[in-house]
Amino acid sequence: MNAVKARPRLHLLRAQTDHGPRNGSPARQQIDQRQNQEEENWELRHGYEDQYASEEYLKNLNATFYMYCTEKRHETGGKPKHDAPDVRDVVDDWRVKSRIKTVFAGLMLCLNIGVDPPDVVKTNPTATLEAWIDPSSPSSASTKVMETIGKALQAQYETLSIRIRYKQFLDPSVDETRRCCQNLRRNSKDERVLFHYNGHGVPLPTSSGEVWYFNRNYTQYIPVSLYDLQFWLGGPSIYVLDVSQAGNVIANFGRFIDKHEAENREQLAKDENAQVQSYGENIILAACGKNETLPTNPDLPADLFTACLTTPVAISLRCFLLSSQFPTELTLKELDKVPGRLQERRTPLGELNWIFTAITDTIAWNCLPRDTFKKLFRQDLMVAALFRNYLLADRLMRANGCHPETEPSLPSTHEHPLWQSWDLALEMVLTQLPQMIACEEGGPQYEYEHSSFFAEQLTAFEVYLSQGALERKAPDQLPIVLQVLLSQVHRLRALILLGRFLDLGPWAVNLALKIGIFPYVLKLLQSAAHELKPVLIFIWTRILAVDSSCQNDLLRDNGYKYFLAGVKPEAGLPVANKSEHRAMSAFIIAMFCRNFPQAQVVSLSSELFQACAGHLSDDDNPLLRQWSCLCIGMLWQSFPEAKWAGTRAGAPSILCQMAWDPVPEVRAAAVHALTNYLGIADLTEQEAQAEQQIAANIMAMTSDGNSMVRNEMLVFFSAFMRRYENKFLVAAYEELVEEKKHIQSQEISEVEVTRKTAALHSQHAIDEVPTESGRHISGNSIFGAVWKHLLVLSVDPHAEVAQNAAIVTDYMHTRLLNSSLGVHARIVMDDLLRLGGKSILSKQSPANPPPRISEMPFEPSTPKRSESYISLSIKRTASVAMSLKNLALGPSPTTADRSHVRDSPDKKKDANQKHAPRRVPDDWSRPPDVYDPATHSSGSHRAKEPLPHGFRPIGDEKGVVNWDQISVPLKSTFFDWSVEYFREPQMKTSEADEPGSDGYNARLWRRSRNEKILNTTQPLKNVAGSTPWNTPKGSFANGTQPLKLCFHQFEDHLAVADDRDTVCLWNWQGKARMNRFSNGNPAGSRINELKFINEDDQALLVTGSSDGVVKIYREYDSEERIEVVTAFRGLTDLVPSTKNSGLVLDWVQGQGKFLVAGDVKVIRTWNAATEICAHELPSRSNSCVTALTSDQVAGHVFVAGFGNGKVQVFDQRQKPQTSMVQRYSSHKQWITNVHMQRGGMRELVSGSRNGEIKLWDIRMKDELHTIQATKNTLRSLSVHEHAPVFATGSDTHHINFFNINGSFLNSIEPSTNFLHTRSNPIASTAFHPHHMMLACSSLNDQHVNLYTCEDRRAVIRSRDTASPTS
């Protein structure tokens, strides 16, 4: 089997501007030289020119350039596709629910040899053969000829099925027929009876469907009503009618069946317990229509229809020989000398039979409805054989003037193209027949040349697969592949092609199961062929991924042992990607054991645990690690013996080590397995310690960056909580007591702050009242720690995680109220309600009335009194989480604190100078906007908050929750989601990488568009450094206060965030708002950062908030399609505030990393691919980080600015302790911004609050240049990514533009609303990464203004310079 490769990532190239200086065409280089001759002598800053001049270096950068947050776990939100119809319908479709077998057959031969019926006129010569016996032959004794024909006919039927008990009735009378039919039905019970009627020696059927028999003395023909025949035979039955005008029987059959059914209903109406005869499930095969006569060609049998049904190969050879298409000297008698047996496929006769079966199966599969095909070709071997042969009869009888009929009726198949392949196979045999006959008679040796039919059909199937099966049309060759599996010659190739077909998805597996592939692949598990193992493992993986009901089949036939051996490392597999197939074997065993105790018993072995545990150290294959974890988990599920065996093998401790695996799916799988480990019924002290140790070991995963992993942690915690419920009741109660103490201490702190006017420091933190945890039962226990983590997760930034955690905590609080601690808990909750309400009332401004309890989201419906306790005091605010040191957010400054700062800045300064004298003013280490008055954005209508994919809030439209539908412990869906991997195509490239697809064409267009933008804007970067930036490009009203602005590199998108949690997306070309949504920030926090990632293709929007939360959105420009891709807490110990630096964020596309810092002492590096914190670098400063910038090409070096004015350079390639490689102390005040250009000369620019702008080279100890941009407070600093220009915004409503060498270009005052003055401070500025454009906003004004440096003469000159004729 070929290697099963993961689907390749999107094939994208870096934007050329990410390579540093552009290495474009020679013409472009000449243009750049003419535009600025001095550029030739410039050198890149920081020593980057050597790297970027290397073609090999740039090639390596391109090779490692990926799109991030686009994996399946992000696209699906970790939710399985429960509504996939092609998966849901498979299980009930392909298996035959009621398999009716033909067990008895009555062969009625009414020939009356020597006497012609009165209404039949025979030709002379005429057809005489009956069952290939000539009754008119002189050598045939008249007394025994009927017996000979009867035996021959039975022998013909036995080639179709030898298990049926046949009964011959030779020229029977009416009474014999009645007794025969009744005996057949009585012996068959509810199974099918075969009724074969040859009426060549009796009159034709009447128009009412009557058939003829003899009287006892053979002196009269007696008609038998079809009504009576149905009554004798009952149902189910199959009628084979080889008689002229047989269509009369079909025409009247249904009418009499309805009459019988009506009589049954009348009888049941009289007596409900009456036994009635069944008349259903009848099948009729009639030789001709109701006005047609059977053919009388003397070269053909008289029972041509029977010959087609029972000896298809022999009659095909005869008919083909008689046709004018094949001139030969062969005689009809020589056709009997075709060597071989029908059962031996390597002989000429057996090969013809094999080809015939494949062709007729394929014709039926392609022409018949699926339900009809399953009923006629897959339920009963005899019915299937008769209908396969009937397709031939339909062709040959039509060629001789008859039109066979069936009930149920079938579509016409006599002109199907595959009949030409059958003719070719016949011709190949007849062509070689003379040589084979000569060889048999002692002539020269002759080796039979086998047909190439199956090889050609496999090639056609391979062509179908190579085209991708875009329309999901069933391949014509699928039944032929089924037949090829019977041959060892083509078996391996057929299995490989079958595997490729099954890889197309559940619809392909569905078709393969319907065609009947399952018994074949089940039988092959008993094969010892080494080369078949990989492909069989692959095929069974696809089957079990779609239909898990095959567990019983694997157990019954011991097929599971085939895959148990495949899991073991010593199992030799003849493929290069052995680990992929071991992962598939582990998947099969996991599916085999899932909810199937018998499978767990037979699979339990120490070797399986050792094999799976050993695979967890395979660093090269995360799929193997994931399914090794899940295999162990399924073996543990509700199976104590397996849990004890896993404990002896050390499996739990090994799984705990997977908590920091670089692949989120592996981490989630490990937690899923450990969840199944919990719950041994006989809980011993040793087992309790082991389970508590597991909880302690994986507790750190609650800070995992992947929401799917955190959800699995919640499932584990909920199961752990239910197992030790009494312990958690105590922990929950004591946490309520701690919460009460925390709120009381907060009120005391507020009074002291107001009375003493204490200074608000940037690293402010409220001192907590000692918790006296030593006096608490759960203070230092694992149960108290887990409960605190549950409370933290109840305010998780991801909506689904928060909701699930809220379910668990609400459950425990409800149980607490109903426990023996309920009275005490209710008192504490009353106090919390009183203190909480008082706190809310004291903090509300007149414009914002206190919220009603009923407005709090997620309220449990019962108990009535407790809903207000839980809603107000536990989760609906972050109060509980804020009280947990180093687990959640620190307490935010109160509204009273902030209003005091705003209202009395001078008094605050005096207090600082009086009580805490410093060498420098305290304001210098404070953010520039610390004294800004409150804006009105918080009073605007809150936008809709996007939700993760597949997330549905519990409760109805009014928020009422039906708690009867919610269960604890939570149910995980991770296993179902993981199974979907094997339902998706893995051998083919994604549609977006297929040339000609919509996704591929869209990417080509975007790449062309990006290059066009680069070619258009790059020549303007030199003009920008010498041209005033005073040309208005337009403005638009945002609706709320714009505080953060961010341009998309290539799309006409501008993201605007206000001072609360609202993000607006604007089309800056059309001045139209595309979307407006809420980021869902808690009170007291705001959006600090806006970034676009994956800008070269389909970008995602990233928001960073002052509470440490990072959220990523897809389809951000659409109100209907926007979704949360992921959300995590980048910093867990921030103080949520609007006045400190909060969270500072930078994105490095080349490395796929988020740099996160702020009001903490570390700088964290979050890997977007692994979704874990890769590094935690000490900031080496007592001040907060205020700005971050990084080298966007290689991504190893980044620079941080601090609140005390320090600028520090870090190298991620160094150890954390030595990662700071440079520190600059020239700035003395708060660093407003620091930025390193991604293009141009890679300038590093920093600006401090006092208006100083400095340029740096990280190789130098001192700054290269200092520019005094303004004498007022510097509110913003923006640097163009490629042009040698930066802009500063001050608190006097001025924006100053400078060349990178310090030359002043111009100053502007952005236009404002006519109701506002022009003294408002500048709130934000942002350059477009490529266009020469600046967006800006000012405080107390909701407008965003755009300015450009488009000097028309300069643009015209640049265009003339860029033209080829210049």
Side-chain angles (χ1 to χ4, degrees), residues 558-833:
N558 292 328
Y560 67 93
K561 295 181 179 179
Y562 196 86
F563 307 107
L564 280 176
V567 177
K568 298 177 182 178
E570 61 271 15
L573 296 173
V575 287
N577 57 339
K578 294 181 176 61
S579 59
E580 293 279 357
H581 289 80
R582 291 194 182 107
M584 288 185 271
S585 297
F587 162 78
I588 293 172
I589 297 300
M591 292 294 293
F592 177 57
C593 294
R594 188 185 190 192
N595 301 323
F596 193 29
Q598 297 94 320
Q600 292 175 304
V601 172
V602 298
S603 300
L604 177 60
S605 65
S606 59
E607 291 82 3
L608 179 60
F609 278 111
Q610 293 173 0
C612 291
H615 293 328
L616 296 180
S617 60
D618 188 337
D619 297 333
D620 297 329
N621 196 319
L623 187 67
L624 177 57
R625 301 198 302 274
Q626 176 184 348
W627 279 104
S628 295
C629 293
L630 293 176
C631 182
I632 294 175
M634 287 299 103
L635 196 59
W636 277 341
Q637 190 178 39
S638 303
F639 189 28
E641 289 79 3
K643 295 177 183 180
W644 285 117
T647 302
R648 291 190 293 270
S653 59
I654 297 176
L655 288 172
C656 289
Q657 298 173 10
M658 308 306 293
W660 302 109
D661 191 275
V663 179
E665 289 85 349
V666 178
R667 301 197 296 271
V671 178
H672 186 275
L674 291 171
T675 303
N676 287 340
Y677 178 79
L678 298 177
I680 296 180
D682 300 329
L683 183 60
T684 63
E685 183 66 26
Q686 178 185 359
E687 180 60 24
Q689 291 180 359
E691 293 181 352
Q692 294 171 28
Q693 185 62 42
I694 291 173
N697 289 340
I698 66 175
M699 196 181 302
M701 295 177 71
T702 53
S703 61
D704 196 286
N706 183 266
S707 60
M708 187 171 61
V709 177
R710 299 200 300 276
N711 262 324
E712 285 304 306
M713 282 298 303
L714 276 173
V715 177
F716 175 88
F717 282 159
S718 65
F720 187 73
M721 184 189 71
R722 280 297 302 270
R723 185 159 172 80
Y724 302 95
E725 188 169 296
N726 292 333
K727 304 283 188 181
F728 279 93
L729 288 175
V730 176
Y733 171 74
E734 292 182 349
E735 187 58 40
L736 288 174
V737 175
E738 286 298 311
E739 176 70 4
K740 175 183 173 182
K741 291 181 179 180
H742 173 74
I743 295 178
Q744 291 174 339
S745 67
Q746 194 173 10
E747 291 182 349
I748 296 174
S749 299
E750 292 177 11
V751 173
E752 291 180 353
V753 168
T754 304
R755 182 170 55 84
K756 298 179 180 180
T757 62
L760 181 63
H761 191 265
S762 62
Q763 298 296 325
H764 172 75
I766 298 177
D767 296 333
E768 299 184 20
V769 174
T771 60
E772 300 179 352
S773 60
R775 301 180 184 177
H776 292 169
I777 299 176
S778 65
N780 296 319
S781 70
I782 185 62
F783 310 106
V786 170
W787 179 247
K788 290 181 179 181
H789 279 81
L790 283 171
L791 293 174
V792 173
L793 290 172
S794 68
V795 290
D796 194 89
H798 195 275
E800 183 180 6
V801 177
Q803 176 174 281
N804 290 338
I807 290 174
V808 178
T809 53
D810 278 349
Y811 167 84
M812 183 51 62
H813 282 127
T814 303
R815 297 285 293 172
L816 176 61
L817 291 174
N818 296 326
S819 68
S820 58
L821 290 173
V823 176
H824 305 285
R826 198 175 298 278
I827 294 174
V828 177
M829 287 184 173
D830 283 333
D831 294 339
L832 283 172
L833 179 62

